[in-house]
Each structure stands twice: as C-alpha cells, then as structure tokens.
Amino acid sequence: MTSEQNTHFGFKTVAETEKAKKVAEVFHSVANKYDLMNDVMSAGLHRSWKRFAVSVSGVNPGDKVLDIAGGSGDLSKLFAKKVGPTGQVILTDINASMLGVGRDRMLDAGLNVPAMQCDAEKLPFPDQYFDCVIVAFGLRNMTHKDKALAEMQRVLKVGGRLLVLEFSKVWQPLSKAYDVYSFKLLPIMGKLLAKDADSYQYLAESIRMHPDQETLKQMMVDAGLSKVDYYNLAAGVVALHKGYKT
C-alpha cells in the first residue's frame, strides 16, 4: 500500500489527487470574467506580454504551434495570424469552462483553431510534431511541473522552441508593495468584479509558490531543453522563459 503524495494548492498542503479538482473549481468559477480580471490585475499589460512572447517565438508561416493552458485563446489568436492558412495552431486547456470561452472566441474571429481538452502532463500528440509550444500563466497550476515540461519537450520538433510565460519573482525593492497588492487589493477586486475573492486569493498564493526565474530555467534544462534563457518583464512580475529542443 502506497501513501498518498501531497502538493501545494496556494499556501495550503493538499493531496495530489485533490489539487486538480481544486484548481478546476477555481477556473470554472472565474472563466467568464477571466479576461476582465486579467486586464484589471495587470492594467492591460498581459496583452503586451503575450505579444512579446509571440514576437520572440521564432514562429513563421506554415509552422505548427501548441498553446497549452490557453484558456480564453489570446495567444492562439495571435499565433493563428502568425502561421497563416498553411500553418496550424491547437488550443488546449484541462478546464472545460476556460476552453469553451477560448473555442467560442476562435469561432467568433473566424479562425480555424481546434480546441482540445487535455492534461499537459499527458499530451495526446506524437513526438516531434510542433515547431513551438507555449504555456502562459498555466504552469504554476500544474501538479507535476517536471512531467509537463518533459511532455512539452517531447512533442517539439528538433529546433523547436518552448516558451513559458508566467508570474515570477519580482525585483526585491518592490516585493512589499507587490505583496500588499496581491493579498489585499487583488481579492477585493475578485470579489467586486467576479464575485469570487477566494479564487483570486489562490491565484496570488500560487504565484508565490511558483519556482523563481533561475529554478524554472534549471527545470527546463532538466526536461531536455537547451539554450534556456529568460526575459524579466515588469521588474520580474512576469518572466518569459525560452528553450530549444536540440
């Protein structure tokens, strides 16, 4: 008989089998207000961070792109324009509510972007299929980040790029002000705009539990990626990591 493993859900310690359920509840709750809250939380900066990720992705017309934890589809929309009619973008998310929002947005925009519900730790794609894989603001919610990164590396072609856009460790002189914003103001905004303070409390906590820039860089190297580097955006509030499959 094996003992059940524990993991973090924000600042709480929970069984691994419980985490996926709890994360799902968070995103079912916030799905319909997710874009509004992103705009409020980042003063609209999340849109420029995503455009920057696309600009450094190295993606060309005709390429295949996998958008993991793509949620409402911001990045899939940008990449679809980048790869053009000869390319392919696949939008995935483990959460049906988030995926439904993204799928509807792709249809409304007239874009041919398939939406698939799947777990990043067990991707249903063949080896060496994609030119670029991106996960934005989703890795920190995954239970086994090492497994997810290894799967992303597996489905990349040789020469392909993995991009991880995620909240990270802020510049130290700003940390106290950032804590006040995250743990005082953010839950209040969640309550006012999404009628859900608890979910936004979790989101703030999950950011603090996520690996910092150098730790995530090493995790990507351990997953088999090379030439891994990162860009700090907004004083480290967010970092964009990029690695290659060789």
Side-chain angles (χ1 to χ4, degrees):
M1 183 175 176
T2 58
S3 59
E4 190 165 24
Q5 298 296 308
N6 290 329
T7 189
H8 294 289
F9 175 75
F11 291 160
K12 300 185 182 82
T13 299
V14 299
E16 286 187 351
T17 52
E18 281 287 296
K19 179 170 180 174
K21 179 182 175 183
K22 288 180 175 294
V23 170
E25 288 170 353
V26 167
F27 285 95
H28 284 312
S29 174
V30 304
N32 290 328
K33 296 284 188 179
Y34 188 72
D35 284 339
L36 171 64
M37 282 302 298
N38 273 349
D39 283 331
V40 173
M41 286 163 57
S42 69
L45 285 173
H46 75 100
R47 299 182 187 276
S48 63
W49 296 333
K50 290 168 183 173
R51 287 195 296 270
F52 177 71
V54 174
S55 73
V56 303
S57 67
V59 165
N60 295 306
D63 281 356
K64 293 183 175 71
V65 177
L66 177 62
D67 182 7
I68 292 178
S72 57
D74 283 349
L75 278 161
S76 286
K77 196 172 181 179
L78 293 171
F79 275 114
K81 294 174 182 176
K82 194 88 169 173
V83 304
T86 61
Q88 180 184 41
V89 177
I90 298 177
L91 168 64
T92 71
D93 205 294
I94 197 171
N95 185 276
S97 297
M98 292 295 297
L99 190 65
V101 172
R103 177 202 59 208
D104 291 348
R105 289 185 68 192
M106 297 305 103
L107 291 172
D108 290 345
L111 296 171
N112 181 24
V113 176
M116 296 178 59
Q117 186 174 3
C118 64
D119 184 345
E121 296 178 19
K122 295 171 282 190
L123 293 172
F125 304 107
D127 296 354
Q128 300 192 43
Y129 186 79
F130 294 98
D131 299 283
C132 179
V133 176
I134 187 163
V135 55
F137 307 113
L139 184 65
R140 74 181 189 280
N141 297 308
M142 296 175 190
T143 303
H144 304 104
K145 297 175 181 62
D146 53 344
K147 289 184 180 179
L149 290 170
E151 276 290 272
M152 296 175 207
Q153 190 269 359
R154 177 184 66 78
V155 301
L156 275 174
K157 296 177 182 177
V158 173
R161 287 80 59 203
L162 171 62
L163 300 173
V164 181
L165 181 64
E166 187 56 89
F167 291 105
S168 200
K169 188 175 178 66
V170 74
W171 184 45
Q172 185 60 36
L174 296 178
S175 60
K176 287 186 179 179
Y178 187 48
D179 281 347
V180 170
Y181 170 77
S182 299
F183 297 112
K184 300 295 184 184
L185 297 180
L186 187 55
I188 292 172
M189 287 191 289
K191 184 175 181 179
L192 292 175
L193 294 175
K195 313 301 181 193
D196 187 350
D198 290 345
S199 290
Y200 286 89
Q201 178 75 23
Y202 159 73
L203 292 174
E205 292 176 5
S206 70
I207 292 167
R208 297 310 189 279
M209 299 305 295
H210 186 66
D212 64 16
Q213 288 91 328
E214 286 294 327
T215 303
L216 180 54
K217 178 180 177 178
Q218 186 59 50
M219 289 174 70
M220 290 175 67
V221 171
D222 292 343
L225 294 150
S226 63
K227 295 188 285 186
V228 180
D229 207 351
Y230 59 86
Y231 306 85
N232 277 321
L233 308 175
V237 169
V238 166
L240 174 66
H241 284 68
K242 181 180 180 181
Y244 294 79
K245 182 168 181 174
T246 55

